[in-house]
């Protein structure tokens, strides 16, 4: 279990064994909701895949990164289909869900402060997207960029907490309550 990181994080899944262990990630991978390295998109390229075939459980992958007052977290995302849920959250060490985004029914949504999720843009299935989350802890805000285009500016954190230091990918609803 990884709980702290010093220095920049740049994961390269191409070097990992297909179906093998995902180093430096904390994963929750029940039988019907695997988190694994897959040969996709192919041609020697690999990806981290979260799948969910369980109506009562979810897959979850957490990557810890170094704490910083300003942070940029980016990743490439392949949208397999418009059905299903993928929550992408940036949280503090104690689990405060500071940044809450959700892909649901083909739309990318984000929470601005403690408001309801707001639809930001539609995502087409079978496409790759580059998502970047820029955090500003001092202002308790974040910007969201999709393929280099800003789609959320100065959105407020959804919760109080310490500095952001981990990103969570989850295929189902959050089961606890936010304080």
């Amino acid at each position: 279990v990884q709980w702290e990181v010093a220095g920049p994080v740049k994961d390269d899944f191409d070097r990992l064994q297909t179906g093998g262990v995902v180093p430096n990630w904390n994963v929750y991978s029940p039988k019907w909701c695997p988190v694994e390295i897959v040969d996709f998109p192919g041609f020697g390229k690999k990806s981290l895949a979260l799948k969910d075939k369980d109506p009562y459980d979810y897959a979850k992958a957490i990557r810890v990164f170094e704490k910083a007052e300003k942070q940029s977290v980016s990743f490439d995302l392949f949208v397999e289909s418009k059905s299903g849920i993928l929550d992408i959250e940036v949280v503090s060490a104690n689990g405060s869900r500071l940044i809450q985004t959700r892909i649901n029914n083909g739309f990318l949504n984000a929470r601005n402060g403690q408001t309801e999720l707001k639809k930001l843009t539609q995502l087409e299935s079978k496409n790759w997207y580059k998502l970047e989350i820029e955090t500003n802890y001092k202002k308790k805000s974040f910007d969201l960029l999709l393929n280099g285009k800003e789609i959320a500016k100065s959105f407020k954190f959804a919760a109080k907490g310490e500095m952001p230091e981990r990103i969570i990918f989850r295929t189902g609803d959050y089961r606890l309550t936010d304080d």
Side-chain angles (χ1 to χ4, degrees), residues 30-178:
K31 183 175 180 117
W32 290 356
C33 302
V35 176
E36 59 190 353
I37 301 297
V38 295
D39 288 319
F40 185 81
F43 309 106
K45 298 288 185 184
K46 297 179 183 177
S47 303
L48 177 66
L50 283 75
K51 299 176 184 174
D52 189 341
K53 296 178 185 176
D54 192 323
Y56 304 106
D57 215 345
Y58 55 66
K60 182 166 71 169
I62 303 169
R63 182 60 162 109
V64 179
F65 51 83
E66 186 174 33
K67 289 183 193 179
E69 285 202 9
K70 289 188 176 183
Q71 188 76 256
S72 179
V73 180
S74 65
F75 52 91
D76 294 327
L77 175 73
F78 184 79
V79 177
E80 180 69 32
S81 73
K82 290 188 177 185
S83 65
I85 292 172
L86 179 65
D87 285 342
I88 304 165
E89 299 174 338
V90 177
V91 304
S92 66
N94 66 358
S96 294
R97 299 184 314 143
L98 306 172
I99 299 170
Q100 299 174 26
T101 68
R102 171 174 275 195
I103 298 171
N104 190 14
N105 295 322
F107 285 93
L108 175 60
N109 308 276
R111 193 176 304 277
N112 185 0
Q114 295 183 349
T115 63
E116 293 297 315
L117 286 167
K118 176 184 177 186
K119 283 184 183 176
L120 300 176
T121 190
Q122 189 167 9
L123 302 176
E124 296 299 323
S125 57
K126 308 295 183 201
N127 281 316
W128 282 98
Y129 295 93
K130 182 170 188 71
L131 195 61
E132 186 172 356
I133 304 167
E134 296 177 343
T135 68
N136 185 325
Y137 179 70
K138 206 171 229 176
K139 292 182 178 180
K140 307 283 193 271
S141 69
F142 70 98
D143 301 332
L144 196 57
L145 292 89
L146 184 68
N147 295 334
K149 180 184 171 200
E150 192 171 69
I151 59 171
K153 174 96 175 137
S154 299
F155 271 36
K156 296 296 178 193
F157 286 176
K160 295 179 181 176
E162 300 169 6
M163 274 193 229
E165 70 164 38
R166 44 193 89 200
I167 187 165
I168 297 175
F169 299 88
R170 186 182 56 249
T171 62
D173 290 326
Y174 183 68
R175 294 185 185 150
L176 304 174
T177 58
D178 291 314

